[in-house]
Amino acid sequence: MTRCWKCGALFSGGTVVESTAVPVALETQSLMMRCIGDDEISLGSTNVARSEYLCAAVTVLRVVKEHMHSHPSLWSFDVPIDAVHAQVKFLGMSERLSLFTMLLEVMDDWPANFLHFSSVAGITQIAFGRRRNVPQWLNEVVAQLPARLRSRTGAMEANFVRYVRRLENEGGTKFRALRAQALMLAAKGKYGN
């Protein structure tokens, strides 16, 4: 074990680089160690069983990952696209650190940070509807989210989407040309005019 598994460099030949990520990594590690050692985790004004906390943290992480790629301005650090789409167990250390730092931000000051992120990112109860084994205390907070959001598409956009879907369903030899023409008009803002 003298070389890095990823780049092959010798461990003894490296240089020490100061990083601002170290305190966050230690805080994350400390929390995870408490989850292993303590019977209960303090979350906001309540204490929850560690198994329930870990189950909820995994659920929140999955839901937030699904919504965060369209809201990068919410984070004060970069979360790589790989970290958004890949499974956590296949990620490198820096990507995992980004995700767990983000998880700490969402779970901190529970439930205020979670509700704020959900509001900005458009997370609704539906995102949690297909999740099984969600603890009751998390369900109570999820119940504060809107059931669903109204579609933001106007009548013109809805007509455009219906037209393109109809073209795709009909297929045929001219389908691609007609779809491309409609998409170009929409890109120029001229569709429906």
Side-chain angles (χ1 to χ4, degrees):
M1 299 295 292
T2 59
R3 294 187 176 271
C4 172
W5 68 272
K6 193 167 188 176
C7 67
L10 286 170
F11 288 138
S12 60
T15 56
V16 176
V17 177
E18 291 296 323
S19 172
T20 57
V22 171
V24 175
L26 290 174
E27 183 183 352
T28 304
Q29 180 179 339
S30 172
L31 175 63
M32 294 305 155
M33 293 302 287
R34 281 199 321 269
C35 289
I36 293 170
D38 297 348
D39 289 335
E40 290 187 335
I41 303 296
S42 176
L43 194 63
S45 60
T46 60
N47 290 333
V48 298
R50 68 176 170 197
S51 60
E52 285 188 358
Y53 177 84
L54 290 172
C55 176
V58 168
T59 301
V60 168
L61 182 61
R62 287 181 180 154
V63 170
V64 168
K65 273 178 60 178
E66 292 171 3
H67 291 80
M68 70 182 293
H69 63 278
S70 58
H71 300 279
S73 62
L74 290 173
W75 310 113
S76 56
F77 50 87
D78 291 328
V79 178
I81 294 296
D82 292 347
V84 175
H85 298 295
Q87 292 184 41
V88 174
K89 64 183 175 184
F90 296 126
L91 297 174
M93 288 302 293
S94 62
E95 291 86 4
R96 286 186 196 193
L97 178 59
S98 293
L99 279 181
F100 283 108
T101 302
M102 178 265 315
L103 180 63
L104 280 180
E105 281 190 25
V106 171
M107 299 292 279
D108 189 40
D109 193 22
W110 183 263
N113 289 359
F114 169 75
L115 291 172
H116 172 71
F117 175 81
S118 298
S119 172
V120 173
I123 298 175
T124 63
Q125 293 177 24
I126 293 172
F128 289 88
R130 59 185 179 273
R131 308 284 177 196
R132 285 184 252 151
N133 303 326
V134 176
Q136 180 60 31
W137 56 267
L138 178 58
N139 273 333
E140 290 171 3
V141 174
V142 169
Q144 298 176 40
L145 300 176
R148 63 180 60 232
L149 297 176
R150 288 188 162 174
S151 174
R152 294 183 183 146
T153 59
M156 191 180 318
E157 291 88 356
N159 288 336
F160 170 72
V161 170
R162 277 195 293 273
Y163 174 69
V164 171
R165 285 190 180 148
R166 193 184 69 213
L167 286 175
E168 289 173 347
N169 289 337
E170 291 174 0
T173 56
K174 296 183 180 180
F175 144 70
R176 290 185 182 190
L178 291 172
R179 183 179 65 176
Q181 182 183 21
L183 291 171
M184 288 303 291
L185 287 172
K188 294 177 183 176
K190 297 180 180 177
Y191 183 83
N193 294 340

